[in-house]
Amino acid sequence: MTSPAQLLRAGVLLLDGGMATSLFARGLAWEATPGEWNLSHAREVAAVHRGFLEAGCEVVQTNTFLWEGLSPRALEAGASLARAAVTAHGRGWVAGNLGPAVRERPLDELRSDAAAAAAALAAAGVDWL
């Protein structure tokens, strides 16, 4: 398999598209947290990953962009679903996705929570964050 560095040197690295937008099309309510679907609607999340890979993506991102407040179990499920899709497809990488913080809180708390979320994704086997 070609490495991400080789693809970048060639000028090509195709990432997936909008996970939440894809999940909205599958019934996710606007007020819902997309990452909770890693536990409650795993088939739907997996189907979105499969669709992106079948469309030619080299990298799928975990369904964890809105990570604040997600349980370690939901974070790990997000990584596992993406990894399973890549493995079944036979190629690709998994990027742990931690979007911007949206809640106002002390920087030390944010730093600690972000580190815990990143550690959960890393432990679950993402290729990079």
Side-chain angles (χ1 to χ4, degrees), residues 16-127:
D16 60 4
M19 174 60 79
T21 304
S22 298
L23 293 179
F24 289 140
R26 293 173 172 274
L28 176 69
W30 179 254
E31 64 278 0
T33 302
E36 293 300 331
W37 269 37
N38 296 336
L39 300 171
S40 64
H41 293 77
R43 284 186 189 176
E44 298 297 330
V45 174
V48 172
H49 288 310
R50 270 194 314 276
F52 286 134
L53 289 163
E54 289 168 1
C57 290
E58 294 289 334
V59 179
V60 292
Q61 299 173 75
T62 58
N63 179 33
T64 56
F65 180 79
L66 295 175
W67 59 274
E68 289 179 284
L70 285 182
S71 68
R73 191 168 156 245
L75 290 161
E76 292 163 5
S80 295
L81 290 166
R83 172 62 57 210
V86 165
T87 299
H89 194 67
R91 67 172 174 76
W93 294 274
V94 175
N97 190 352
L98 298 177
V102 296
R103 293 184 341 197
E104 195 170 313
R105 56 204 168 121
L107 185 56
D108 287 346
E109 180 183 322
L110 175 61
R111 205 176 272 136
S112 175
D113 290 352
L121 290 173
V126 299
D127 295 309

